[in-house]
Structure formats: C-alpha cells, structure tokens
Amino acid sequence: MIDDLVRDLRPVPRHALRYRFLLGILPALAVSLLLMLAILGVRSDTPEALMLPVFWIKSAYNALIALVALWTTYHLARPDGGEGGFFKTGAAIVLAMAIAATIQLATSPPEAYEQLILGSSALHCPFLIFAFALPVFAGISWVLRKGAPANLRLTGFIAGIAAGAAGAWVYSWFCTENGMPFVLIWYSVGILLVGALGALAGPRLLRW
C-alpha cells in the first residue's frame, strides 16, 4: 500500500514555492499598474511630486506593509508556518505613519486640517485601492491554492492585507493627496477592506 501511495511522487524543486509566488504576484501587480494607467493615468505633476518627501513616505508606507504581509503569507503557505511578528511589525509601520501624520498636523494651520484629513478623494480612495488590489489578491490566492496553509482565515486575511497594500502602492502613483493623516486613515481603510475580503474568502478559497 505504501508503495502504491508514493509510486507517482516526484521531488519538488527546493525553491518551488518562492518561484510560484513570483509567478503569481509579479504579473498580477503588472495588471494592476496597467489598469491604473488605463483608467486613471499617473498624476500630471509627477516630476514635481517625485521631489516631495511626502510622496515617498506615502509610497514607502504601502510598500512596507505589502512586503511584510507577503513575507508572512509566504510562511503561512506551509502547514507549519505561522504569522511570526506580522502584527507587531505592521503596528510599528502604522505607528510610524501616525507619528508623521501628527507632526504634519502640528506644523500646519488649523484651516488646513480638513484638506490634510479628508482631501478631495476620501469617499472613493478606499474603493479604488480595493479595485486595484483585486488582481494581486487573485494572484496570491492562486499561489496559496498550490500551497498548504493550515489557518485559512488568518492566511486569507494577511494575503488580503498584502494585496490591499500592493493596490494602495499602485494607486499612490495617481493620488494627488499630500496629507499624511489622509494616507493613514483612507489608505488603511482600503487595505483593511481587502484584508476583510481575504478573511471571509480564505476558508473557502484556500481549502486544500
């Protein structure tokens, strides 16, 4: 019986899971970028925006969350994988952004608060992030279905956070908002929406 069970087994390449992540995520991220360019385009003042520290802080906030969440998802794709220090690291990134937002508010006149917090796109920013995150979420889900995650809800949640942060990073190339409080609140809402989608869909989508 044992011989029958293992007769068709083939050795798995050492870095198969890593390559599968690259294969699933990089094309999906490219699709998100193309969608952003086709639907919204990059901001018209991009050369000037690239000179602003706030632009790079916004980009780094999303990129760091995406990288930390992707690294955690990579480990959760294995049956013995855990979340490690994801929540502590994620909280530290959010705290750093909260400090930046507080400093910006403290050094700005009160009449600027509404623009710094709500900007002109608070109502649709989270939903655009959600939309641009969907290709990445689909790519990560395809990868995870080839893996063997043990905690499907947790894995789905963190995979959703990774996709949401990737979608937020894509959207940041169009977004003209320069308020750190805006990024802290509305970008985070968009990221958490995709995380919630992952938590709800994980038990069904990632079942193996």
Side-chain angles (χ1 to χ4, degrees):
M1 181 182 294
I2 293 175
D3 289 340
D4 288 340
L5 289 172
V6 302
R7 181 176 295 117
D8 296 327
L9 289 181
R10 297 291 183 270
V12 176
R14 183 178 179 183
H15 300 297
L17 184 60
R18 186 176 304 174
Y19 294 143
R20 192 176 297 277
F21 262 84
L22 292 175
L23 183 63
I25 294 169
L26 291 182
L29 185 60
V31 170
S32 291
L33 284 167
L34 289 173
L35 283 174
M36 187 271 292
L37 290 172
I39 298 172
L40 302 175
V42 295
R43 52 191 293 178
S44 57
D45 62 341
T46 297
E48 293 80 6
L50 293 177
M51 304 299 294
L52 298 174
V54 68
F55 176 87
W56 294 108
I57 294 173
K58 176 168 58 175
S59 181
Y61 176 66
N62 300 306
L64 286 173
I65 293 176
L67 290 173
V68 170
L70 277 174
W71 181 250
T72 305
T73 304
Y74 173 77
H75 287 285
L76 286 169
R78 306 173 185 272
D80 59 346
E83 55 88 15
F86 168 76
F87 290 101
K88 290 182 180 178
T89 305
I93 296 171
V94 174
L95 177 61
M97 177 55 84
I99 292 172
T102 302
I103 292 173
Q104 189 180 39
L105 285 173
T107 56
S108 301
E111 56 268 23
Y113 288 178
E114 182 176 354
Q115 180 63 29
L116 291 174
I117 295 172
L118 297 176
S120 59
S121 58
L123 292 180
H124 59 260
C125 168
F127 301 104
L128 286 171
I129 288 173
F130 185 90
F132 291 131
L134 289 179
V136 182
F137 183 70
I140 297 176
S141 299
W142 174 80
V143 173
L144 291 173
R145 286 181 64 84
K146 301 293 183 178
N151 190 330
L152 302 185
R153 193 172 297 279
L154 176 65
T155 303
F157 173 73
I158 297 180
I161 294 294
W169 179 82
V170 168
Y171 176 68
S172 71
W173 288 89
F174 162 81
C175 178
T176 58
E177 305 291 354
N178 290 322
M180 293 297 95
F182 180 96
V183 175
L184 175 66
I185 297 170
W186 304 108
Y187 272 59
S188 299
V189 168
I191 293 169
L192 287 172
L193 284 175
V194 191
L197 171 66
L200 291 172
R204 292 180 176 272
L205 195 60
L206 307 180
R207 185 183 302 167
W208 52 281

